[in-house]
Amino acid sequence: MTNLNYQEKIPNNVNLSTDLSLQRALEHWQPKFKNWWTEMGPEGFQASDVYLRTATSVDADGWATYGKVKMPEYRWGIFLNDKVVDRKIHFGDNIGKPVWQQVPGDYRSILRRLIVTQGDTEPASVEQQRELGKTCPSLFDLRNLFQVNVEEGRHLWAMVYLLHAYFGRDGREEAEALLERNSGDVDNPRILGTFNEPITDWVSFFMFTYFTDRDGKYQLKSLAESSFDPLARTCQFMLTEEAHHMQVGETGITRMIQRTLEVMNELKTDSIDAVRNAGAIDLQTIQRYINFWFSSSLDLFGSEISSNSATAFANGLKGRPDEMRYEDHSEKNSTFTFEGLSLENTIETQTIPMRNAMNEITRRAYVTDCEVGLKRWNRLIKKAGHDIQLKLPSTRFRRNIGIWAGVDVNPDGKILQKSDFESKIAAWLPSDEDKQFINSLMVQVVEVNKTAGWIAPPSRGINNMDIGFDYVNLKS
Amino acid sequence: MITFDRDPNNYKHWKVDIKENKATLFLDVSEKDGIKPGYDLKLNSYDLGVDIELNDIVQRIRFEHPQVKVVVITSNQEKNFSAGANIYMLGQSEHTWKVNFCKFTNETRNGFEDSSESGSLKFIAAVNGICAGGGYEVALACDEILLIDDRSSTVSLPEVPLLGVLPGTGGVTRLIDKRKVRKDLADIFCTNADGIRGKKAVDWKLVDYIAPPSKFADLIDERVKKITSTVKLRDGKEGIKLNKLNRNITNEGINYDCLNAKINREDRIANIHIIGPTSNDVLNLEDIGKKGCDWWPLKFARELEDLILLLRTNELEVGVLTMTSEGSTDDILNVTSIIEKNKDVWLINEIIGLLRRTLSRLDLSSRSIFTIIDNNSCFSGLLAELLFAADRTYMLNNAMSPDDLKGPFITLSDINFASLEMVNGMSRLATRFNNDELKLKKLRNIIGKPLDAESAFEEELITVIPDDLDWSDEIRLSVEERTSFSPDALTGLEANLRFPGKETCETKIFGRLTAWQNWIFNRPNAVSEKGALKLFGTGSRAKFDNKRV
């Protein structure tokens, strides 16, 4: 690569063309990334032309440039939100001091760990979703899948940029390791457990983008508050893209429900069998998928009482999402009261130092955000004249991390006897039969302007294009 | 009251799986079962209670399962081996508790190495997840460390960067002395909270072998097989059941079958009185096997170990231990001779090992020890070790007695020259004479010869030999004087005087590492309200006094 075409090859606003050491690091890493994309990226569509959005700058014109491109030639760029002049640390013990433009030595390893953990999830989700193209319900959805995939790829670039630019040799080693771990690989798994489960059907994909990517949004919101300015600015820009992923999830689930309601109204029935026989997904099954994905996403926020979260907050490394909405930004002596688990395995009110509760505070903001979609879906259902309502299970339900890990709690949050719980748990989660049924619906639809029967067509196209536009040219 | 014996059917923190030559210990710490209230044992972190169980388990494997040659230590928690000693426990504990906790855990770790070096059990750490601080120190005490290479599991010693203290359970010492990690790499390792994984951990000699998750079980099997063939004295058929000790704790003291302790809290002294073996203990090997844990040497060792631990933890102010004994010198010499002649038999080897480690606990106790030989005493053979473990010895001199009394006598035996080495790797006699070969040769020539007070004094084996007129006053004055001194100064003095001569990994751990750690444990940078140890988990940063001392 020569200096001249840097902006062309790697769109960026970090002065890549003049930063020799960063160039060297990225030149070493980029071929490995391309290899990884070819081997672990979307299976079977590497030669297809896909109508994708590419960020070429951070301003309103540049962040969304549309055009057809083969995915391996996608221009993954490096973008940070513009610098705020004289930005000051606004939470923790160092309020009022200037934010850091370089990594302070004392926080080097904890910041690196935060970035690596965040970075690891980005390629992980591409790997988890690599088989989905084979069963897409429409070209529109196929394109959305790939848009999500390339943007997760760009988010990986964003984290790798931080590792390369600010963490020296350790950072370069970590950047390589991000490509060496693989989702579901027994020997080299991804760091977080959830990201090692393959996503093989589109119901799970929409649930993942609605619930699990929303965890990503809240992690990014916390990091966007960071006193390490390059990290904050990187995450701020990533959030604009992440919003799209959740949009894919929300509209996907909405369209599934729409289709189900259509079938129920056409056949004038709410019989599960009748809905299934007509090729739509009954609302009860959708509820079980919500139970599964919501609860597994909650674990990603970590333990309710956490010393790591206290350290990250006090030192200004990771704030609360929308930190400025809170009044006290130090929270040094304040406390947090919540429903915890007593030694006798009952629910009791507990009070802990506020700083140790940062995971739980972030989780609560996330839950509130999740509720919005539920409200919309329930309105649709009600408008169609049905009594059934979808709901989020209790945050205590089916947890593997934190104080509720392994506690036998039902979706309403009540602690049950072990035997009672074990006899009921299967009914709250997708059963093998549910999965078989969902898999039977997963048939690839790639004709222009057609949509699979289990999901309603989209209400509008991408970038004002027609719904019938050929968003993906399969054989080009 | 804290006790150290455990019921093997009731472990809270470990699961034990014994198959043929291999015992696998799965660490799975029960969060809510801390030995004291006030903290949760998250992430397989441990407190004294977890270590007491480990000590009990290993002890039982030694005696009850003589076919076991290799012990594999691993974790039952996913992706997590052990986070080390529980920080909140350390943060809330008094200094004395921290020190005793570290001492006991150190002794348990040393016990692994002691077994490994003496033909008994070998140990493999199968590190199948994140392994930090004290967790890695457990691994360091094993013969081999196997690390799962899943790209995220690391070994680390994060004490300095995270807590402002040292990896004080042998960590620093074993890194450079045992594993021979280069000091600059050790410097990086000990200041990097994230730790090191995979191939780099092998390159830096932090671990011995790595394998990806799919091959980790194979690696363990392979190493177990390899190491099994190097174990010399674990070929027993039938084990010896370690029954519950016959112990009676009263306000005045603690009584066992082979010894009792009278505690005088007002004067801050305890008298440990040993009741020697009888002719019923002079047996052949087969009958020893039948008598099992009731055979005097084994019972004595278990009782003495239990007593030392109880006194250390529960009687902090008792500063002077006087040791007395009663029994037949012939019988103790005969029993000692059985041990010497059969030291290559697995059971006898294990009994020697237990005696060696128990006497070491005595050397390492921060209490003054005076051993007193009167007319009833039987401090000969293996019990003569209690003369040389003492800071001072008093022997009644009856030479001028009007009743023409003979004795008391002490008699040396081979065991006083080998088998019961201190942590410095030398016998107590060699230590006493700073390895003076001529002197030791001379002493070897009087093995088996009864020595009265004057000849024992002549041979430099005894400190003071008062006659019967001075006897009781001399001892009373010495003890009273001793208890009037600063306990700290005495601990320091004794710890220095007891270990002349060369250093070993263990003496460095108990001397250098522990001393520094205990200094740091007392400094504001660790334990003040703004110290790193106190603030851990709150998120606030420690405020250091930046003067280097």
Side-chain angles (χ1 to χ4, degrees), chain A residues 250-350:
Chain A
E250 181 170 346
T251 53
I253 298 173
T254 304
R255 286 162 51 211
M256 280 179 351
I257 294 172
Q258 276 173 343
R259 179 64 193 139
T260 305
L261 294 172
E262 271 171 37
V263 168
M264 287 164 80
N265 285 356
E266 277 164 23
L267 302 179
K268 307 225 176 318
T269 176
D270 53 7
S271 143
I272 294 172
D273 286 343
V275 171
R276 285 191 174 196
N277 285 335
I281 304 165
D282 51 286
L283 297 174
Q284 290 79 358
T285 298
I286 292 175
Q287 177 67 59
R288 287 191 285 273
Y289 273 80
I290 290 173
N291 289 350
F292 178 87
W293 284 98
F294 177 69
S295 55
S296 76
S297 302
L298 289 176
D299 275 340
L300 294 169
F301 290 87
S303 196
E304 281 76 2
I305 309 167
S306 162
S307 56
N308 282 342
S309 78
T311 305
F313 183 84
N315 294 326
L317 307 175
K318 196 175 166 188
R320 286 168 289 195
D322 306 307
E323 179 61 41
M324 292 324 284
R325 285 191 324 165
Y326 297 86
E327 273 177 24
D328 181 350
H329 299 294
S330 157
E331 304 287 13
K332 190 156 189 171
N333 301 309
S334 47
T335 56
F336 180 79
T337 301
F338 70 114
E339 304 269 275
L341 184 68
S342 76
L343 280 176
E344 292 76 37
N345 243 24
T346 56
I347 296 165
E348 71 172 12
T349 304
Q350 294 176 350

Side-chain angles (χ1 to χ4, degrees), chain B residues 5-129:
Chain B
D5 43 337
R6 289 293 180 268
D7 174 1
N9 299 315
N10 227 342
Y11 295 131
K12 290 175 179 151
H13 308 294
W14 295 87
K15 291 185 182 59
V16 183
D17 175 52
I18 294 176
K19 285 206 178 75
E20 293 167 20
N21 291 333
K22 176 175 81 166
T24 309
L25 277 46
F26 296 94
L27 180 60
D28 192 359
V29 177
S30 171
E31 283 191 12
K32 300 283 179 196
D33 283 317
I35 198 167
K36 285 194 163 184
Y39 51 87
D40 287 348
L41 294 172
K42 288 186 178 172
L43 294 172
N44 259 355
S45 61
Y46 62 85
D47 68 352
L48 183 61
V50 178
D51 232 75
I52 290 175
E53 286 189 1
L54 175 61
N55 183 53
D56 190 80
I57 290 165
V58 174
Q59 190 74 289
R60 284 181 195 282
I61 293 173
R62 288 182 181 119
F63 285 97
E64 297 183 355
H65 303 279
Q67 81 285 5
V68 170
K69 298 186 177 189
V70 177
V71 175
V72 176
I73 298 180
T74 191
S75 155
N76 239 4
Q77 295 186 1
E78 203 182 336
K79 286 196 162 188
N80 177 42
F81 180 78
S82 167
N86 187 279
I87 308 308
Y88 301 100
M89 176 276 292
L90 288 174
Q92 76 174 43
S93 298
E94 278 182 44
H95 182 70
T96 47
W97 181 267
K98 287 200 280 275
V99 173
N100 270 324
F101 165 72
C102 290
K103 189 175 284 179
F104 183 79
T105 51
N106 261 320
E107 286 171 332
T108 311
R109 312 292 171 271
N110 290 353
F112 294 1
E113 291 172 337
D114 179 78
S115 283
S116 169
E117 285 156 16
S118 60
S120 176
L121 300 169
K122 300 264 179 196
F123 292 79
I124 292 177
V127 179
N128 54 345

Side-chain angles (χ1 to χ4, degrees), chain A residues 360-373:
Chain A
E360 183 59 14
I361 291 167
T362 308
R363 181 167 22 237
R364 287 188 178 189
Y366 163 84
V367 173
T368 309
D369 203 36
C370 286
E371 295 278 7
V372 175

Side-chain angles (χ1 to χ4, degrees), chain B residues 289-357:
Chain B
K290 282 187 194 145
K291 203 157 185 186
C293 70
D294 282 329
W295 192 47
W296 188 89
L298 177 52
K299 190 185 249 190
F300 164 73
R302 290 181 70 208
E303 292 178 350
L304 181 60
E305 176 179 57
D306 191 63
L307 176 65
I308 295 168
L309 294 172
L310 291 181
L311 291 178
R312 265 191 201 166
T313 315
N314 301 306
E315 300 291 344
L316 294 172
E317 293 197 359
V318 169
V320 180
L321 307 178
T322 56
M323 318 263 307
T324 55
S325 66
E326 66 176 84
S328 142
T329 298
D330 284 347
D331 290 333
I332 184 67
L333 285 172
N334 286 334
V335 165
T336 302
S337 157
I338 296 169
I339 291 176
E340 287 162 351
K341 284 190 186 121
N342 295 293
K343 61 184 180 188
D344 290 339
V345 174
W346 79 267
L347 173 60
I348 304 299
N349 183 52
E350 292 302 342
I351 292 173
I352 293 173
L354 177 57
L355 280 165
R356 182 172 54 240
R357 293 186 298 273

Side-chain angles (χ1 to χ4, degrees), chain A residues 93 106-107 109 112-113 173-174 177 180-181 186-191 305 307 310-311 314-315 343 355-356, chain B residues 32 42 79 88 149-152 192-195 197 200 212-215 536-541 543:
Chain A
D93 287 337
D106 23 0
Y107 303 131
S109 68
R112 189 182 57 209
R113 196 161 54 237
E173 283 175 9
E174 293 287 3
E180 289 164 2
R181 285 185 288 268
V186 190
D187 290 341
N188 283 329
R190 290 291 171 188
I191 295 172
I305 309 167
S307 56
T311 305
N315 294 326
L343 280 176
R355 287 179 172 187
N356 291 82
Chain B
K32 300 283 179 196
K42 288 186 178 172
K79 286 196 162 188
Y88 301 100
D149 184 16
D150 57 4
R151 304 275 165 165
S152 61
N192 166 16
D194 279 356
R197 66 173 184 238
K200 193 166 176 186
S214 61
K215 302 205 175 74
F536 178 79
T538 64
S540 299
R541 300 191 74 196
K543 294 260 185 309

